[in-house]
Amino acid sequence: MTDVRHVLVLPDRDAAEEVGADLADRFSLAEEPRLVRDALAGEDDAEDAQWLVVVEDPGGRLDTAVLDALAASHDGWLE
């Protein structure tokens, strides 16, 4: 199996923090998900920023359908 990095895109920091905490509770992750602010091209306004939840998945064991559904429940998606 190969190591995988999942990136969940969320509309705001609150959603990203909630998803990150939910992932940590649901799965036995080797490391905490990282939250990263992703400003949209050419935008400096914080309102135009998306937040990424980056999850390292050694062995590729996490179900992408579950990750996508979790992101979607917070108006986001899995990249």
Side-chain angles (χ1 to χ4, degrees):
M1 296 198 110
T2 181
D3 293 347
V4 178
R5 175 178 290 142
H6 303 285
V7 178
L8 291 78
V9 181
L10 285 301
D12 57 47
R13 184 183 185 125
D14 290 340
E17 287 175 347
E18 191 172 327
V19 167
D22 196 10
L23 287 169
D25 289 343
R26 282 190 193 200
F27 304 103
S28 297
L29 300 176
E31 60 185 73
E32 289 288 318
R34 281 187 300 124
L35 304 182
V36 179
R37 182 179 180 274
D38 183 35
L40 299 177
E43 298 294 333
D44 292 327
D45 188 354
E47 295 297 317
D48 293 324
Q50 296 173 331
W51 283 80
L52 309 178
V53 178
V54 181
V55 182
E56 300 298 333
D57 183 10
R61 63 179 181 77
L62 298 179
D63 184 342
T64 56
V66 171
L67 297 176
D68 192 39
L70 180 59
S73 72
H74 291 83
D75 297 322
W77 64 88
L78 176 66
E79 287 241 323

